Amino acid sequence: MSATRFTYLGPEGTFTEAALRTLPEAATRELVPMVSVPAALDAVRGGEAAAALVPIENSVEGGVTATVDELASGEPLMIYREVLLPISFALLVRPGTKLSDVKTVTGHPVAQPQVRNWLRAHLPDAVWESAASNADGARLVQEGRFDAAFAGEFAAATYGLEALVTEIHDAENAETRFVLVGRPARPAAPTGADKTSVVIWQRDDHPGALLELLQEFAVRGVNLMLLQSRPTGAGIGNYCFAIDAEGHIADRRVGEALMGLKRICPKVRFLGSYPRAGAPASGQGGRPLRPGTSDAEFVDAAEWLARCQDGRG
């Protein structure tokens, strides 16, 4: 395995590259752009890279399905950390292009919902066509295939373009969450402000099936931060669920919740426990734990049960 190489969703100039360069370890790695999320992750699976940074969630559009589906299937991988990056777009054009000249625009599919209102107000007749990434859209503009691309302003210099308009976003404080993914290994030690990600499959479809899964978290005081369904490919109505929960697998409440899921689900894929980006290290992401859900209380309850079983209750 190449321990000196990180892959990311390319080409050069993507928000993913910008997010990757915020990590201290990126300064000592070879950063290799890939044409797609599956290609970036397959490089890790094949030992060509130690890790890959890929987008997984946007605060406007929601989950990045290509990443979620890729992590749910294929050879298992594990999330080691996450990065939050504020997102604001620039309209990149070839030098000399005026706004009235823009008839075709491009960008990543996740970008379109974040600039839809701006497009309606300023370029109502422009035709949108999606690109593999925002930076790839900039490359297509450079080649003359589109008049403009929505991308990071920092991508302009890479592709010889100009930022005709900057600070474009329909939603204030928009962010994209990226995850650094590697091959499975022992999770890092808990920090006190962690997140655990899993994908779970139902055994069968029946009334209350999803409630049964969620109760494994609720009765142990584990807060969920993300819940999204994805089709399994086995037919209409067959879904798996990607879940982000507050806490670390080493926390008793989280570990027992995962054991409960393993008992009632045909398949549970553990995607990792890792530090939450931007969260204070105290209890449960800055919130006090609910009574009865601390590790000490789980240990005390287990010791009480043992005493009862031994006739020492």
Side-chain angles (χ1 to χ4, degrees), residues 1-8 29-34 38-52 75 77 181 183:
M1 177 181 295
S2 176
T4 62
R5 181 179 298 150
F6 283 175
T7 56
Y8 66 91
R29 302 295 197 278
E30 178 189 2
L31 308 184
V32 181
M34 306 298 285
L41 297 178
D42 282 344
V44 179
R45 291 185 172 113
E48 301 166 29
E75 185 181 343
L77 295 169
V181 179
R183 295 182 66 82

Side-chain angles (χ1 to χ4, degrees), residues 150-219:
F150 287 98
E153 185 177 358
F154 47 79
T158 301
Y159 296 97
L161 303 177
E162 293 180 348
L164 187 61
V165 185
T166 60
E167 296 297 319
I168 300 173
H169 44 70
D170 290 350
E172 295 288 338
N173 304 315
E175 292 182 309
T176 293
R177 181 166 71 100
F178 302 84
V179 287
L180 187 68
V181 179
R183 295 182 66 82
R186 180 183 294 274
T191 67
D194 301 291
K195 179 182 293 184
T196 293
S197 297
V198 294
V199 181
I200 57 179
W201 282 257
Q202 296 181 105
R203 190 171 302 280
D204 55 66
D205 185 23
H206 61 271
L210 179 58
L211 177 61
E212 291 173 2
L213 304 181
L214 299 182
Q215 282 178 331
E216 296 295 334
F217 295 102
V219 298

Side-chain angles (χ1 to χ4, degrees), residues 238-295:
N238 289 279
Y239 296 94
C240 61
F241 298 93
I243 292 175
D244 288 345
E246 284 187 339
H248 193 282
I249 193 172
D251 298 333
R252 290 294 186 101
R253 63 187 183 278
V254 177
E256 288 204 7
L258 297 185
M259 285 193 294
L261 290 171
K262 182 60 178 174
R263 289 197 307 271
I264 63 176
C265 297
K267 182 178 178 182
V268 178
R269 174 166 285 196
F270 174 64
L271 296 181
S273 290
Y274 47 94
R276 287 179 55 198
S282 59
Q284 197 174 18
R287 289 189 296 272
L289 295 175
R290 290 177 54 196
T293 64
S294 70
D295 277 9

